[in-house]
Amino acid sequence: MILLDGKNLSAKIKDEIKGNVESYKVTPVLAVITIGDDPASKIYVNNKKKACEYVGMSFLHLSFDESVNEEKVIKKIKELNKDKYINGIIVQLPLPKKFNEDRIVNTVDINKDVDGFRSGSAFVPPVAYGVMEIFDYYKINLEGKNIVVIGRSKAVGIPMVRECLKRNATVTICHSKTENLKQYTKNADILIVAVGKKNIISKSMIKKDAVIIDVGINRVNKKICGDVNPNVMEKCSYLTPVPGGVGPMTVVMLVKNTFKAYKKQNGIIDMFDVMNNE
Ligand code: NAP
């Protein structure tokens, strides 16, 4: 069984981006909007800040109190959209319940939507992008494989399905209303789990030698764990650990998307290069 080391791979990619940013002698800027003080979001935003600064990009954090009026947030995003010095804009989700997430996310200029959340965005959402980089690095071929994705969120599950289809896999999507989940997971050559529930998948539910991608992040007794029971290690061929698997890849792919946004906005690359996973 091989652990798919996202920590090490993300460090390599970060160094590549740093080298490229230095060679262009530029400082791309990522703007991050947060509303309220979700503790998990604080950690994610801090990781994004550290990664941007490491590669030589600027990080602009606009933090709103939960009491803010939605119109004020929309107005700020529109200002950022027009600001030629801002290359990427993300809204850290989840937002407090009273806000219309779709409306806020869809206000981000599609050319600066480095989270790829808008429909028709050229940017591959960072979680799916990071998982595809892991497949490439470890030479895991998806063509013709039976892939089961558990989770159908707009940010994680659906983009994952899209990316797997681009690589000619046969994809099944499972979700909370799926009956007899095991019947699907047992047949998966590659199982991608993005639910947010500890131990939702265990050894008896997987195929022998399956590749398991654990996207889940759960906090249990102040410790972080994924969605997959560690007992799968006795049966699978590859597994992404949590922490140290998909998480660090997600952060670095956001940074990569921001650099792509910079290059697209400055005529260095075209839309095809933005869409391309390279
Ligand atoms: P989400 O929006 O809550 O979506 C969860 C999905 O899981 C939904 O599609 C839901 O089905 C499905 N689900 C819930 N219970 C299920 C069950 N018992 N059986 C099968 N499917 C079930 O969450 P998300 O934003 O996609 O995130 C998923 C997980 O990934 C979370 O743990 C999150 O923290 C983590 N995450 C990790 C990273 C990273 O970088 N590693 C980044 C983002 C998110 P319905 O659609 O029917 O409700």
Side-chain angles (χ1 to χ4, degrees):
M1 198 279 309
I2 294 172
L3 283 177
L4 300 166
D5 185 349
K7 196 170 172 200
N8 187 36
L9 177 56
S10 67
K12 278 191 206 303
I13 299 173
K14 239 183 335 195
D15 281 335
E16 264 170 40
I17 302 171
K18 183 177 162 70
N20 282 327
V21 170
E22 279 168 8
S23 70
Y24 280 100
K25 297 190 172 59
V26 294
T27 312
V29 184
L30 173 65
V32 178
I33 291 176
T34 56
I35 308 178
D37 57 358
D38 177 58
S41 292
K42 269 191 186 158
I43 298 171
Y44 300 145
V45 169
N46 195 38
N47 289 342
K48 291 170 186 177
K49 178 173 190 276
K50 279 200 286 197
C52 280
E53 291 174 351
Y54 180 84
V55 304
M57 292 185 187
S58 282
F59 184 89
L60 180 66
H61 183 185
L62 297 129
S63 161
F64 292 99
D65 191 82
E66 195 171 338
S67 62
V68 71
N69 177 304
E70 187 165 310
E71 297 316 313
K72 195 171 168 191
V73 179
I74 298 280
K75 188 165 168 257
K76 178 48 81 181
I77 296 175
K78 287 183 175 166
E79 277 170 33
L80 296 170
N81 284 345
K82 282 195 204 133
D83 186 335
K84 66 177 176 151
Y85 294 106
I86 303 290
N87 305 109
I89 304 169
I90 64 165
V91 179
Q92 185 67 40
L93 303 180
L95 298 180
K97 288 225 171 347
K98 70 169 190 176
F99 295 94
N100 181 340
E101 243 174 46
D102 281 347
R103 178 174 179 237
I104 291 179
V105 167
N106 282 314
T107 304
V108 173
D109 183 321
I110 205 153
N111 294 305
K112 298 187 178 184
D113 171 35
V114 287
D115 255 342
F117 287 171
R118 288 197 50 175
S119 94
S121 175
F123 296 96
V124 177
V127 180
Y129 196 178
V131 170
M132 296 306 130
E133 288 282 314
I134 291 177
F135 288 140
D136 288 342
Y137 184 77
Y138 284 93
K139 301 197 170 18
I140 297 170
N141 181 20
L142 306 197
E143 185 159 316
K145 295 283 160 40
N146 198 3
I147 299 187
V148 173
V149 177
I150 316 180
R152 56 174 166 180
S153 69
K154 274 189 275 183
V156 185
I158 297 298
M160 203 70 80
V161 169
R162 245 185 350 245
E163 292 310 301
C164 292
L165 283 175
K166 277 190 202 164
R167 290 164 182 236
N168 294 323
T170 304
V171 190
T172 305
I173 314 173
C174 297
H175 46 75
S176 67
K177 304 287 185 286
T178 299
E179 289 177 9
N180 195 358
L181 186 63
K182 186 174 175 177
Q183 155 198 326
Y184 299 96
T185 58
K186 267 275 197 191
N187 284 321
D189 302 312
I190 299 174
L191 179 61
I192 302 176
V193 192
V195 174
K197 286 190 179 150
K198 186 188 171 193
N199 290 344
I200 192 163
I201 293 298
S202 57
K203 191 172 96 173
S204 67
M205 298 173 77
I206 68 163
K207 183 173 174 177
K208 188 170 181 315
D209 294 330
V211 175
I212 312 284
I213 304 294
D214 189 353
V215 182
I217 299 177
N218 304 294
R219 278 174 188 75
V220 181
N221 301 328
K222 293 191 180 161
K223 273 196 162 175
I224 287 184
C225 67
D227 287 349
V228 174
N229 189 314
N231 69 13
V232 301
M233 284 193 250
E234 295 161 27
K235 200 172 175 189
C236 67
S237 58
Y238 293 93
L239 172 68
T240 53
V242 180
V246 178
M249 291 302 295
T250 301
V251 175
V252 79
M253 300 329 283
L254 171 70
V255 172
K256 191 160 179 173
N257 272 348
T258 306
F259 191 38
K260 278 185 172 183
Y262 173 88
K263 290 193 285 185
K264 166 72 176 59
Q265 288 153 24
N266 288 279
I268 301 164
I269 59 172
D270 62 20
M271 199 46 98
F272 178 78
D273 295 317
V274 174
M275 293 163 79
N276 201 324
N277 276 359
E278 284 312 303

mmCIF file of all heavy atoms in Angstrom, residues 236-253:
data_model
loop_
_atom_site.group_PDB
_atom_site.id
_atom_site.type_symbol
_atom_site.label_atom_id
_atom_site.label_comp_id
_atom_site.label_asym_id
_atom_site.label_seq_id
_atom_site.Cartn_x
_atom_site.Cartn_y
_atom_site.Cartn_z
ATOM 1 N N CYS A 236 -6.314 -1.643 0.336
ATOM 2 C CA CYS A 236 -6.221 -0.784 -0.862
ATOM 3 C C CYS A 236 -4.794 -0.770 -1.403
ATOM 4 O O CYS A 236 -3.856 -1.243 -0.747
ATOM 5 C CB CYS A 236 -6.706 0.629 -0.548
ATOM 6 S SG CYS A 236 -5.653 1.532 0.586
ATOM 7 N N SER A 237 -4.627 -0.200 -2.619
ATOM 8 C CA SER A 237 -3.269 -0.105 -3.178
ATOM 9 C C SER A 237 -2.662 1.268 -2.903
ATOM 10 O O SER A 237 -1.457 1.388 -2.697
ATOM 11 C CB SER A 237 -3.295 -0.391 -4.677
ATOM 12 O OG SER A 237 -4.156 0.506 -5.329
ATOM 13 N N TYR A 238 -3.510 2.304 -2.945
ATOM 14 C CA TYR A 238 -3.045 3.670 -2.685
ATOM 15 C C TYR A 238 -4.069 4.357 -1.791
ATOM 16 O O TYR A 238 -5.280 4.110 -1.927
ATOM 17 C CB TYR A 238 -2.984 4.490 -3.972
ATOM 18 C CG TYR A 238 -1.949 4.069 -4.975
ATOM 19 C CD1 TYR A 238 -2.263 3.174 -5.999
ATOM 20 C CD2 TYR A 238 -0.657 4.604 -4.932
ATOM 21 C CE1 TYR A 238 -1.321 2.818 -6.952
ATOM 22 C CE2 TYR A 238 0.290 4.246 -5.884
ATOM 23 C CZ TYR A 238 -0.045 3.357 -6.882
ATOM 24 O OH TYR A 238 0.894 3.017 -7.820
ATOM 25 N N LEU A 239 -3.578 5.280 -0.972
ATOM 26 C CA LEU A 239 -4.489 6.059 -0.107
ATOM 27 C C LEU A 239 -3.904 7.443 0.129
ATOM 28 O O LEU A 239 -2.696 7.583 0.374
ATOM 29 C CB LEU A 239 -4.646 5.329 1.244
ATOM 30 C CG LEU A 239 -5.414 6.071 2.352
ATOM 31 C CD1 LEU A 239 -6.898 6.208 2.000
ATOM 32 C CD2 LEU A 239 -5.266 5.353 3.702
ATOM 33 N N THR A 240 -4.769 8.459 0.087
ATOM 34 C CA THR A 240 -4.306 9.796 0.499
ATOM 35 C C THR A 240 -4.495 9.905 2.010
ATOM 36 O O THR A 240 -5.605 9.700 2.511
ATOM 37 C CB THR A 240 -5.127 10.925 -0.181
ATOM 38 O OG1 THR A 240 -6.520 10.696 0.056
ATOM 39 C CG2 THR A 240 -4.857 11.005 -1.655
ATOM 40 N N PRO A 241 -3.436 10.230 2.747
ATOM 41 C CA PRO A 241 -3.600 10.371 4.194
ATOM 42 C C PRO A 241 -4.322 11.673 4.542
ATOM 43 O O PRO A 241 -4.355 12.600 3.732
ATOM 44 C CB PRO A 241 -2.146 10.421 4.695
ATOM 45 C CG PRO A 241 -1.362 10.960 3.548
ATOM 46 C CD PRO A 241 -2.063 10.498 2.295
ATOM 47 N N VAL A 242 -4.906 11.717 5.717
ATOM 48 C CA VAL A 242 -5.477 12.972 6.239
ATOM 49 C C VAL A 242 -4.952 13.125 7.659
ATOM 50 O O VAL A 242 -5.193 12.238 8.483
ATOM 51 C CB VAL A 242 -7.023 12.930 6.261
ATOM 52 C CG1 VAL A 242 -7.569 14.250 6.815
ATOM 53 C CG2 VAL A 242 -7.598 12.640 4.890
ATOM 54 N N PRO A 243 -4.196 14.175 7.963
ATOM 55 C CA PRO A 243 -3.789 15.247 7.055
ATOM 56 C C PRO A 243 -2.622 14.816 6.149
ATOM 57 O O PRO A 243 -2.081 13.731 6.328
ATOM 58 C CB PRO A 243 -3.343 16.346 8.033
ATOM 59 C CG PRO A 243 -2.907 15.623 9.265
ATOM 60 C CD PRO A 243 -3.736 14.376 9.355
ATOM 61 N N GLY A 244 -2.289 15.677 5.199
ATOM 62 C CA GLY A 244 -1.098 15.444 4.368
ATOM 63 C C GLY A 244 -1.389 14.865 2.993
ATOM 64 O O GLY A 244 -0.466 14.472 2.286
ATOM 65 N N GLY A 245 -2.671 14.780 2.623
ATOM 66 C CA GLY A 245 -3.021 14.238 1.309
ATOM 67 C C GLY A 245 -3.600 15.326 0.413
ATOM 68 O O GLY A 245 -2.862 16.151 -0.154
ATOM 69 N N VAL A 246 -4.923 15.359 0.331
ATOM 70 C CA VAL A 246 -5.597 16.299 -0.574
ATOM 71 C C VAL A 246 -5.497 17.749 -0.069
ATOM 72 O O VAL A 246 -5.374 18.677 -0.877
ATOM 73 C CB VAL A 246 -7.085 15.883 -0.748
ATOM 74 C CG1 VAL A 246 -7.816 16.864 -1.639
ATOM 75 C CG2 VAL A 246 -7.179 14.467 -1.318
ATOM 76 N N GLY A 247 -5.527 17.941 1.247
ATOM 77 C CA GLY A 247 -5.551 19.304 1.822
ATOM 78 C C GLY A 247 -4.443 20.210 1.300
ATOM 79 O O GLY A 247 -4.731 21.273 0.727
ATOM 80 N N PRO A 248 -3.171 19.827 1.456
ATOM 81 C CA PRO A 248 -2.104 20.717 0.984
ATOM 82 C C PRO A 248 -2.121 20.922 -0.527
ATOM 83 O O PRO A 248 -1.718 21.985 -1.032
ATOM 84 C CB PRO A 248 -0.808 20.016 1.431
ATOM 85 C CG PRO A 248 -1.194 18.689 1.967
ATOM 86 C CD PRO A 248 -2.651 18.675 2.216
ATOM 87 N N MET A 249 -2.619 19.918 -1.270
ATOM 88 C CA MET A 249 -2.713 20.056 -2.731
ATOM 89 C C MET A 249 -3.733 21.140 -3.096
ATOM 90 O O MET A 249 -3.541 21.915 -4.031
ATOM 91 C CB MET A 249 -3.121 18.728 -3.369
ATOM 92 C CG MET A 249 -2.073 17.659 -3.293
ATOM 93 S SD MET A 249 -0.525 18.146 -4.056
ATOM 94 C CE MET A 249 -1.008 18.303 -5.758
ATOM 95 N N THR A 250 -4.835 21.169 -2.353
ATOM 96 C CA THR A 250 -5.887 22.150 -2.628
ATOM 97 C C THR A 250 -5.340 23.573 -2.526
ATOM 98 O O THR A 250 -5.595 24.426 -3.374
ATOM 99 C CB THR A 250 -7.046 21.949 -1.623
ATOM 100 O OG1 THR A 250 -7.533 20.624 -1.776
ATOM 101 C CG2 THR A 250 -8.164 22.936 -1.844
ATOM 102 N N VAL A 251 -4.555 23.795 -1.478
ATOM 103 C CA VAL A 251 -4.019 25.148 -1.260
ATOM 104 C C VAL A 251 -3.093 25.546 -2.412
ATOM 105 O O VAL A 251 -3.210 26.638 -2.985
ATOM 106 C CB VAL A 251 -3.257 25.196 0.095
ATOM 107 C CG1 VAL A 251 -2.583 26.544 0.283
ATOM 108 C CG2 VAL A 251 -4.206 24.901 1.244
ATOM 109 N N VAL A 252 -2.218 24.631 -2.805
ATOM 110 C CA VAL A 252 -1.234 24.999 -3.830
ATOM 111 C C VAL A 252 -1.895 25.161 -5.209
ATOM 112 O O VAL A 252 -1.474 25.992 -6.015
ATOM 113 C CB VAL A 252 -0.037 24.016 -3.830
ATOM 114 C CG1 VAL A 252 -0.340 22.738 -4.533
ATOM 115 C CG2 VAL A 252 1.182 24.661 -4.467
ATOM 116 N N MET A 253 -2.966 24.413 -5.469
ATOM 117 C CA MET A 253 -3.630 24.562 -6.776
ATOM 118 C C MET A 253 -4.386 25.894 -6.864
ATOM 119 O O MET A 253 -4.541 26.463 -7.943
ATOM 120 C CB MET A 253 -4.563 23.386 -7.071
ATOM 121 C CG MET A 253 -3.887 22.030 -7.121
ATOM 122 S SD MET A 253 -2.191 21.941 -7.681
ATOM 123 C CE MET A 253 -2.372 22.108 -9.428
#
